[in-house]
Amino acid sequence: MSALFTPLPLRELEIRNRIFVSPMCQYSAIDGIANDWHLVHLGARAVGGAGLVMIEATGVSPEGRITPACMGLWSDAHALALAPIARFIKQQGAVAAIQLAHAGRKASTDLPWKGGKPLSGGQAWVTQAPSPLPFGAGYSTPHALTAAEIDAVAQQFTDATERALAAGFEVIELHMAHGYLLHEFLSPLTNRRSDKYGGTLENRLRLPLRIAREVRNLWPAKWPVFVRISATDWMPDGWDLPQSIELARRLKDLGIDFIDCSSGGLVPEAKVPAAPGFQTPFATAIRREVGITTGAVGLITDPVQAEHIVGTGLADVVLLAREFLRDPYWPLHAAQRLGVDLAWPDQYLRAKPT
Ligand SMILES: Cc1cc2nc3c(=O)[nH]c(=O)nc-3n(C[C@H](O)[C@H](O)[C@H](O)COP(=O)(O)O)c2cc1C
C-alpha cells in the first residue's frame, strides 16, 4: 500500500492523496482578476490527480500584490472570477485551496520574465512593511504601517477569507513565508518596531497570530486552515526553527490544522542550501515537536522520494511546485511508478497504461 496515495482526513475533508499543488504565481491576472489561464492551468492539475490544488498568493489588497499581474481578492468581482476555478477543481475530486497573501516590502515589482525588478515611475506603488527597511538594492523604502493601518490589514485578510468562502474554496492558506508582510513581522531582521508588534517574540507573533485567529474563527469548523511559514531565514540572528516551532505550537492552539514548511526569502543575501528535499527536515521537526500535520516542499520531484517522505513520517504531505509545471499529470505518473492502480478521468481512460 502506498502512503502517498493514502487519503488524508483533515477536519471533515478527506483529501484523496498526499500530493498537493504548491501555490505558484502565474503573473497573468488583470487588476487581480482570474481568467481562462488560471482555470486551464489549475484545472489541468486537478485532472492530473493532485489531492489538493492551491491557488497562488492572492493579494488581500492591491498594494499587497507582488506584481501588477498577481491575483487579488479585495472585491466581490474577484471572488466571482475565482468561483468557476474552485468549482472545476472540486468536480475533479481535488480539494480547492487558496493562499491569501500580502507581499509587504517585496511588492511593486515587475513580472519575472520582464526581469522581476522593482517597478518605477507611474506603475510603482508605495510598499508596506513593519519597519522602513528596503528589501535590497533598487527597492524603495517601504512605509512602516501605523497601528491603525495594521488593523486595516487584519481586516483585509478577514474580508478576503469571506470572499474565498463565497467563491467555493474549502481550504485557506495564510502566507507567512518568503519575506512577505507577515514573515516581515515575525523576523527580527525586518521587524524593528518598538510598539506591541515588535521586539520580543511575543510581540512579533502578535499580528500573524491575530490574523490566524480571526481567519480560523470565520472559516467553517468543518474545513481546515493552513499556514505556510519560512522555517528559517538562513541568516544569523534571524527567524529560525525554534521560533517556528513556537509559532506552530501557538497556531495549533488556535485551531490551525496544517503547517506548510518552506524557508528563506526574507533577505537577498541569505545563502540557501537548495538540494533535493532540503526543507523536509523542517516539516519533520515541527510535526514531531508540535504534533501538527505538516507538508514538505522544495525540490521534491521523484515519486520514490515522495513516497519515502510520507511513508517514513518525515511529513504528512508533499507539495510540488516546479515539477507540476513540467508535468500536470505527475500524480497519475507517480501512481504508475509506485504500482498503484489510480482511477484516471473517464475521458482519458483509453490512454491509461495497462
Ligand atoms: C512560478 C512559481 C511561482 C511561485 N509562487 C508562489 C506563491 O504564490 N506562493 C508561495 O508560497 N510560493 C510560491 N512559489 C514557491 C513554490 O510554492 C515552492 O515552495 C518552491 O518552488 C519550491 O518547490 P519546488 O522545488 O517543488 O519548485 C512559487 C514558485 C514558482 C516556481
Side-chain angles (χ1 to χ4, degrees):
M1 189 55 203
S2 159
L4 197 57
F5 287 94
T6 302
L8 175 69
L10 274 180
R11 295 194 178 234
E12 288 178 32
L13 274 188
E14 171 141 299
I15 310 179
R16 63 182 169 185
N17 61 47
R18 313 297 182 100
I19 305 163
F20 293 4
V21 177
S22 199
M24 276 183 283
C25 296
Q26 296 296 294
Y27 315 102
S28 301
I30 295 169
D31 295 331
I33 296 201
N35 55 49
D36 293 352
W37 174 266
H38 304 94
L39 174 65
V40 174
H41 161 70
L42 295 157
R45 278 130 195 100
V47 170
L52 176 147
V53 178
M54 178 91 66
I55 278 72
E56 67 188 70
T58 299
V60 297
S61 65
E63 55 281 5
R65 286 174 298 169
I66 305 167
T67 76
C70 286
M71 198 100 92
L73 198 41
W74 61 84
S75 83
D76 293 345
H78 292 85
L80 209 62
L82 282 164
I85 300 176
R87 184 169 65 232
F88 184 83
I89 291 170
K90 291 187 290 186
Q91 278 168 354
Q92 307 316 309
V95 166
I98 187 164
Q99 187 185 51
L100 298 185
H102 188 303
R105 68 177 190 166
K106 289 175 77 177
S108 187
T109 63
D110 208 350
L111 313 193
W113 52 82
K114 290 186 177 169
K117 297 270 182 286
L119 292 171
S120 55
Q123 275 194 304
W125 64 86
V126 178
T127 59
Q128 303 174 335
S131 301
L133 305 165
F135 173 67
Y139 282 77
S140 57
T141 301
H143 165 68
L145 292 166
T146 64
E149 288 164 344
I150 288 174
D151 291 343
V153 168
Q155 183 70 47
Q156 288 162 353
F157 271 93
T158 50
D159 289 349
T161 298
E162 287 182 334
R163 294 195 183 102
L165 186 62
F169 290 98
E170 300 159 294
V171 170
I172 287 276
E173 175 167 281
L174 296 172
H175 200 345
M176 299 193 185
H178 300 167
Y180 298 121
L181 186 70
L182 297 180
H183 184 185
E184 290 161 18
F185 270 87
L186 291 172
S187 177
L189 298 179
T190 41
N191 184 342
R192 300 286 172 77
R193 300 179 73 93
S194 52
D195 63 0
K196 65 179 181 179
Y197 295 105
T200 61
L201 176 63
E202 195 64 35
N203 283 355
R204 284 179 281 118
L205 291 173
R206 193 176 308 280
L207 177 63
L209 290 180
R210 169 181 167 184
I211 290 174
R213 183 183 311 111
E214 290 175 1
V215 167
R216 182 60 274 180
N217 287 345
L218 272 180
W219 202 241
K222 62 180 177 179
W223 286 335
V225 175
F226 296 6
V227 170
R228 172 165 272 198
I229 63 166
S230 278
T232 178
D233 290 338
W234 301 110
M235 288 290 289
D237 305 320
W239 182 258
D240 55 14
L241 182 60
Q243 292 173 86
S244 293
I245 289 171
E246 181 59 22
L247 169 62
R249 200 168 275 137
R250 304 288 205 92
L251 290 169
K252 184 186 175 197
D253 289 346
L254 294 177
I256 299 300
D257 302 278
F258 181 93
I259 308 292
D260 176 356
C261 302
S262 188
S263 76
L266 188 83
V267 290
E269 62 269 28
K271 302 242 178 319
V272 180
F278 74 109
Q279 295 174 147
T280 303
F282 301 129
T284 310
I286 291 171
R287 186 176 191 263
R288 186 185 56 229
E289 297 297 321
V290 181
I292 190 166
T293 306
T294 64
V297 64
L299 289 171
I300 300 168
T301 55
D302 181 78
V304 174
Q305 174 198 20
E307 177 67 28
H308 172 77
I309 290 170
V310 178
T312 60
L314 298 178
D316 298 278
V317 156
V318 290
L319 294 106
L320 279 63
R322 286 163 292 180
E323 193 58 22
F324 260 120
L325 298 185
R326 298 180 193 107
D327 180 5
Y329 309 114
W330 192 89
L332 301 182
H333 295 146
Q336 218 179 313
R337 169 95 180 276
L338 297 173
V340 174
D341 184 20
L342 200 65
W344 277 40
D346 291 342
Q347 298 89 333
Y348 290 5
L349 275 179
R350 288 173 66 185
K352 186 177 178 183
T354 50

